[in-house]
Amino acid sequence: MSGKPRLTYLNGRGRMEPVRWLLAAAGVEFEEVFLETREQYEKLIKDGVLLFQQVPLVEIDGMKMVQTRAILSYIAGKYNLYGKDLKERALIDMYVEGIADLMQMILMFPFSPPEAKEKNLDSIKERATNRYFPVFEKVLKQHGQDFLVGNKFSWADVQLIEAILAVEEKIPSVLSGFPQLQAFKIKMSNMPTIKKFLQPGSPRKPPPDERYVETVLKVFKK
């Protein structure tokens, strides 16, 4: 073992991408194992490695962690990205959960049947511009600080920049009415660890394509 966290998932974004983002933002190098067959997945279950028979799986500090939220909470706490007290942690949790609701729509979009894609894209746009992004625009404007919580870089900031970029891939003009978020995006994208993660050749995964969808269905669907 190299001591680096070891991530087991498919070679694509999915539920592991927020973990990659958070580790990268914390400046932590990690190793990856990619599932490509149903047999690999079933072997992990048979060996008792997956507590709930689900990935993501992250091996870190001698633990085999599953459940994305638990993994992210642990990493955020370990690398001082989880606020200075319970109140800040509660705010971070609220923001993260809100962003996760939006990201769930983006996560499922590649699996939409062709006839539903346009409708689902409209739903993502409507939710982003009317429900989620206005919250963060207001927070940043009201406290006039660079970061969402405690004027300190946190897990919430990492989740938000990931979500902004993911929505922009599908709807390039989505930030047109959100000047605070535009400034936030520029600031976050230029932070050294995040800037490195956004460069070609980094562990960041590309938007899901048909091959990724096929692999997901092959590995996880009986």
Side-chain angles (χ1 to χ4, degrees):
M1 285 288 288
S2 66
K4 295 177 183 176
R6 180 173 157 134
L7 283 49
T8 300
Y9 197 70
L10 306 182
N11 189 8
R13 289 184 182 175
R15 298 192 186 280
M16 186 65 91
E17 195 70 356
V19 178
R20 297 184 186 108
W21 263 94
L22 194 56
L23 285 168
V28 179
E29 292 187 359
F30 52 87
E31 299 174 347
E32 296 199 74
V33 176
F34 297 126
L35 300 177
E36 296 174 352
T37 66
R38 177 80 188 175
E39 290 71 29
Q40 288 175 292
Y41 174 53
E42 288 177 342
K43 185 177 187 308
L44 289 174
I45 295 173
K46 185 180 176 185
D47 292 347
V49 175
L50 303 179
L51 193 62
F52 300 107
Q53 302 184 16
Q54 294 171 313
V55 289
L57 167 67
V58 174
E59 296 170 73
I60 183 171
D61 294 342
M63 296 186 292
K64 290 181 168 63
M65 295 196 71
V66 294
Q67 297 298 321
T68 311
R69 173 64 202 236
I71 294 164
L72 289 166
S73 296
Y74 182 80
I75 293 167
K78 178 178 172 70
Y79 295 106
N80 200 25
L81 296 170
Y82 210 174
K84 72 177 187 297
D85 56 29
L86 278 174
K87 287 187 176 180
E88 286 194 357
R89 184 167 290 199
L91 274 177
I92 290 168
D93 284 341
M94 284 197 298
Y95 296 156
V96 162
E97 289 293 329
I99 298 163
D101 290 344
L102 176 60
M103 290 301 287
Q104 177 66 15
M105 299 176 72
I106 293 166
L107 190 73
M108 297 311 297
F109 180 76
F111 300 92
S112 307
E115 65 274 13
K117 282 206 182 300
E118 188 173 341
K119 180 185 175 186
N120 290 346
L121 194 61
D122 287 343
S123 293
I124 291 171
K125 182 178 181 181
E126 192 275 330
R127 289 284 181 89
T129 56
N130 293 325
R131 181 179 296 189
Y132 296 107
F133 286 175
V135 170
F136 300 108
E137 180 77 7
K138 184 179 179 182
V139 168
L140 291 166
K141 186 172 184 179
Q142 281 186 340
H143 66 35
Q145 297 171 340
D146 290 343
F147 304 108
L148 288 171
V149 178
N151 203 25
K152 186 172 182 290
F153 184 52
S154 77
W155 173 21
D157 300 303
V158 181
Q159 293 267 115
L160 181 55
I161 183 63
E162 180 192 359
I164 286 170
L165 296 178
V167 176
E168 275 192 332
E169 284 173 351
K170 293 174 171 45
I171 308 151
S173 64
V174 73
L175 289 187
S176 59
F178 301 102
Q180 299 289 335
L181 290 183
Q182 291 173 31
F184 175 86
K185 174 193 157 187
I186 292 168
K187 195 157 48 238
M188 289 299 114
S189 299
N190 282 305
M191 287 188 66
T193 54
I194 291 179
K195 189 173 184 178
K196 182 180 178 184
F197 189 61
L198 294 175
Q199 299 304 310
S202 86
R204 186 186 182 213
K205 303 301 179 248
D209 56 14
E210 286 183 15
R211 186 180 174 203
Y212 173 73
V213 171
E214 287 171 7
T215 305
V216 169
L217 297 176
K218 180 175 73 174
V219 173
F220 297 128
K221 299 289 186 186
K222 285 187 177 179

